[in-house]
Amino acid sequence: MRRFSQKFFAISTVFLLFSCSIDDFETKSDEEYLQQYTEQISQSSYRIVDFSENEIDLTDAYSDFVFSFDSIEDKMTVTALSYSNEAPWLFYLNDDSGFVFQMNFSNDELLERLNGDWSIDIFLEEQFTLYRKDVSSGVVRYLTFQKI
């Protein structure tokens, strides 16, 4: 019986391997990931659940804000209680640095701290984390958005 089990396992493995095509093992291109991430971001609203600057936690200052991203008009809307603000945003591929997430707020000192070109650190279905290092000052920032 043991020999039958071993042969059955070996034959099953061979059939399984031949039933899979090369396409099953290929990964997506960066452009396909960019499109997927952009669609994901645009379909939901987000809150900042972590924002740190040189390991100093600044999250509480942003806890009331809700962020919505419009990929068609390349703008984001931030709301909190009776407050509302719009700003341009872009999410694109840069040949030198990969995925770039760019925000450009004006007329709000707190939100202007989020301005600049951010890189993707982690991208999950429910949240994504960005990071940014200012070369001239050495300041390192991490920013995590959580889907609401």
Side-chain angles (χ1 to χ4, degrees):
M1 182 69 174
R2 187 173 185 181
R3 291 187 124 221
F4 174 76
S5 295
Q6 289 174 338
K7 285 182 181 179
F8 179 74
F9 178 73
I11 291 171
S12 297
T13 303
V14 169
F15 281 125
L16 178 66
L17 289 174
F18 283 114
S19 69
C20 296
S21 70
I22 293 293
D23 293 337
D24 295 336
F25 298 104
E26 290 184 13
T27 60
K28 294 181 181 179
S29 69
D30 285 346
E31 290 80 10
E32 290 171 317
Y33 278 116
L34 178 67
Q35 182 178 356
Q36 175 188 333
Y37 295 164
T38 302
E39 288 173 5
Q40 255 180 265
I41 292 169
S42 298
Q43 292 174 357
S44 299
S45 295
Y46 292 84
R47 288 194 185 278
I48 292 177
V49 293
D50 183 44
F51 180 45
S52 64
E53 187 173 274
N54 285 346
E55 299 182 16
I56 298 170
D57 188 2
L58 304 171
T59 308
D60 287 344
Y62 298 88
S63 63
D64 292 333
F65 292 112
V66 174
F67 294 79
S68 300
F69 302 90
D70 182 342
S71 61
I72 295 171
E73 294 187 27
D74 294 330
K75 71 176 183 178
M76 60 192 300
T77 304
V78 181
T79 57
L81 302 172
S82 62
Y83 174 85
S84 182
N85 194 350
E86 286 185 351
W89 79 290
L90 291 173
F91 190 34
Y92 62 95
L93 275 169
N94 182 325
D95 291 338
D96 297 331
S97 57
F99 295 105
V100 178
F101 192 99
Q102 184 182 76
M103 295 179 272
N104 191 18
F105 289 98
S106 59
N107 302 323
D108 188 304
E109 189 176 324
L110 187 62
L111 291 174
E112 286 178 12
R113 198 171 211 157
L114 304 177
N115 286 353
D117 294 345
W118 296 78
S119 298
I120 296 288
D121 186 44
I122 300 170
F123 199 97
L124 304 171
E125 191 171 326
E126 298 294 317
Q127 72 179 29
F128 59 99
T129 300
L130 309 172
Y131 73 93
R132 192 171 110 214
K133 181 176 183 178
D134 186 329
V135 179
S136 61
S137 68
V139 174
V140 178
R141 293 179 176 100
Y142 283 91
L143 176 63
T144 301
F145 288 96
Q146 175 74 42
K147 185 190 282 188
I148 300 174

